[in-house]
Amino acid sequence: MARLGFIGAGPVGTAFAVNLAQRGYQVVGIFDVNREAADRLAGDVAGSRVFDQAQALVEAADIVFVTTPDDMIAKVAGALTWRAGKAAVHCSGATTVHAFDSAAAQGAAVGAIHPCQSFAGRDQAIANLPGATFAVEAEEPMRTTLTGVAKALGGDVVYLTSDDKALYHAAACIAAAYAYTLVDVATDLWKSFGKTKAEATKAYVPLLQGTVNNIASVGFPGCPSGPIMRGDVKTIERHFVALRKHAPDVLPLYKALGLRTIPVGLAKGTLSEGKAAELKALLERTE
Ligand SMILES: NC(=O)c1ccc[n+]([C@@H]2O[C@H](COP(=O)([O-])OP(=O)(O)OC[C@H]3O[C@@H](n4cnc5c(N)ncnc54)[C@H](OP(=O)(O)O)[C@@H]3O)[C@@H](O)[C@H]2O)c1
């Protein structure tokens, strides 16, 4: 069994180290500029220890996960000495394996395994990593090794090339990171009618859970609901009046999302071509 090392003991490094150790992988050590984070992770993984130098960890491990912030991956790996028999892996969605060009030039195997999941904190990351879909960018034999890691974590695998990575990550941002933004915008609107953001958030959690359930159980194009699906032009006009009065800065976002929803309604079959044209004209109208 390959010996694993982790440079970077944030939520992602922690989630991989703890879950892989629980599944029989040998995690030998951790290095982090934040000693407290490294100590905490080593305390959670029996048989591992904290290293004072990243290079010593490279010597002790076969596969080194560089789970630092994205901008540090190439810098951290580029400052280390590698050789054949060693492997460098990162978990970034947007960064390609070319961040490890210097390690590869020295004979190391290189790869990336990105969990398609959102990690808000350490404990939540440990709980949420298993079952994610993992995007793997690697040549053989690392492709097989990282596929094994994904399978051990109970996840599906998608294989990407370097060219795919930025678009793949932009898509994940739209689906998840910007979903947080949309909820932030929506919950702020409640303040205009005298309610708190906390009340709004409490109301939206079951709404969002129901939405996710509909995506999972019904899928596209059948799952979406809302006034555009029904062709409710008058309702959209009322939204415009309210937003123009209370949150005019939100109108461009509302219009862009509304326009992008029209083809979904047409695909679902609940929105007629006539109502779609009316809605399009309304949503494209400049104020
Ligand atoms: N968070 C997510 O939702 C998510 C999801 C999928 C993939 N990822 C990817 O997973 C990777 C790690 O993400 P994360 O959220 O765990 O990052 P993070 O919260 O920033 O944690 C990274 C850890 O690395 C440490 N570090 C920074 N510079 C270092 C260096 N030069 N040498 C050693 N350690 C260093 C940091 O210490 P300090 O705190 O002192 O800076 C921190 O403890 C990134 O590539 C990210 O894109 C993240």
Side-chain angles (χ1 to χ4, degrees), residues 7-13 31-34 37 67-70 72-73 76 91-93 114-115 117-119:
I7 299 177
V12 173
F31 170 79
D32 195 304
V33 288
N34 179 341
T67 40
T68 61
D70 286 4
M72 296 304 298
I73 294 170
V76 166
C91 299
S92 167
H114 174 258
Q117 181 57 279
S118 166
F119 304 115

Side-chain angles (χ1 to χ4, degrees), residues 73-90:
I73 294 170
K75 197 171 167 201
V76 166
L80 297 167
T81 301
W82 301 85
R83 64 171 186 274
K86 301 289 176 187
V89 172
H90 70 66

Side-chain angles (χ1 to χ4, degrees), residues 111-160:
I113 178 166
H114 174 258
C116 197
Q117 181 57 279
S118 166
F119 304 115
R122 188 181 181 282
D123 294 339
Q124 181 260 2
I126 294 170
N128 283 1
L129 182 69
T133 285
F134 293 86
V136 167
E137 182 197 0
E139 301 293 330
E140 293 296 359
M142 276 310 284
R143 176 182 281 232
T144 297
T145 301
L146 294 180
T147 301
V149 167
K151 295 291 174 201
L153 293 168
D156 288 334
V157 182
V158 290
Y159 298 106
L160 300 180

Side-chain angles (χ1 to χ4, degrees), residues 3-248:
R3 296 163 300 170
L4 310 185
F6 287 82
I7 299 177
V12 173
T14 295
F16 272 94
V18 170
N19 277 290
L20 290 174
Q22 285 169 355
R23 286 157 179 79
Y25 282 78
Q26 189 189 358
V27 177
V28 291
I30 299 112
F31 170 79
D32 195 304
V33 288
N34 179 341
R35 177 75 193 210
E36 207 179 305
D39 283 341
R40 189 165 176 210
L41 177 50
D44 282 346
V45 178
S48 72
R49 69 180 178 90
V50 174
F51 284 71
D52 292 327
Q53 302 290 333
Q55 188 62 51
L57 178 56
V58 173
E59 299 309 325
D62 304 306
I63 302 176
V64 179
F65 282 75
V66 183
T67 40
T68 61
D70 286 4
D71 289 350
M72 296 304 298
I73 294 170
K75 197 171 167 201
V76 166
L80 297 167
T81 301
W82 301 85
R83 64 171 186 274
K86 301 289 176 187
V89 172
H90 70 66
C91 299
S92 167
T95 309
T96 73
V97 292
H98 292 294
F100 292 141
D101 275 353
S102 92
Q106 294 168 65
V110 299
I113 178 166
H114 174 258
C116 197
Q117 181 57 279
S118 166
F119 304 115
R122 188 181 181 282
D123 294 339
Q124 181 260 2
I126 294 170
N128 283 1
L129 182 69
T133 285
F134 293 86
V136 167
E137 182 197 0
E139 301 293 330
E140 293 296 359
M142 276 310 284
R143 176 182 281 232
T144 297
T145 301
L146 294 180
T147 301
V149 167
K151 295 291 174 201
L153 293 168
D156 288 334
V157 182
V158 290
Y159 298 106
L160 300 180
T161 67
S162 290
D163 286 347
D164 300 331
K165 295 292 288 277
L167 187 58
Y168 158 79
H169 196 247
C173 272
I174 292 168
Y178 299 156
Y180 290 120
T181 311
L182 289 179
V183 176
D184 186 56
V185 169
T187 51
D188 273 350
L189 291 176
W190 279 45
K191 294 176 197 163
S192 297
F193 47 91
K195 307 293 180 210
T196 65
K197 193 171 178 72
E199 286 175 291
T201 305
K202 188 165 184 281
Y204 285 158
V205 167
L207 171 67
L208 292 163
Q209 281 167 341
T211 304
V212 170
N213 290 344
N214 292 341
I215 293 171
S217 60
V218 181
F220 286 96
C223 59
S225 59
I228 289 189
M229 293 300 122
R230 297 187 293 268
D232 283 343
V233 180
K234 290 268 176 284
T235 298
I236 301 293
E237 279 172 346
R238 279 196 284 274
H239 292 176
F240 266 35
V241 172
L243 286 169
R244 209 178 289 120
K245 182 172 175 196
H246 296 287

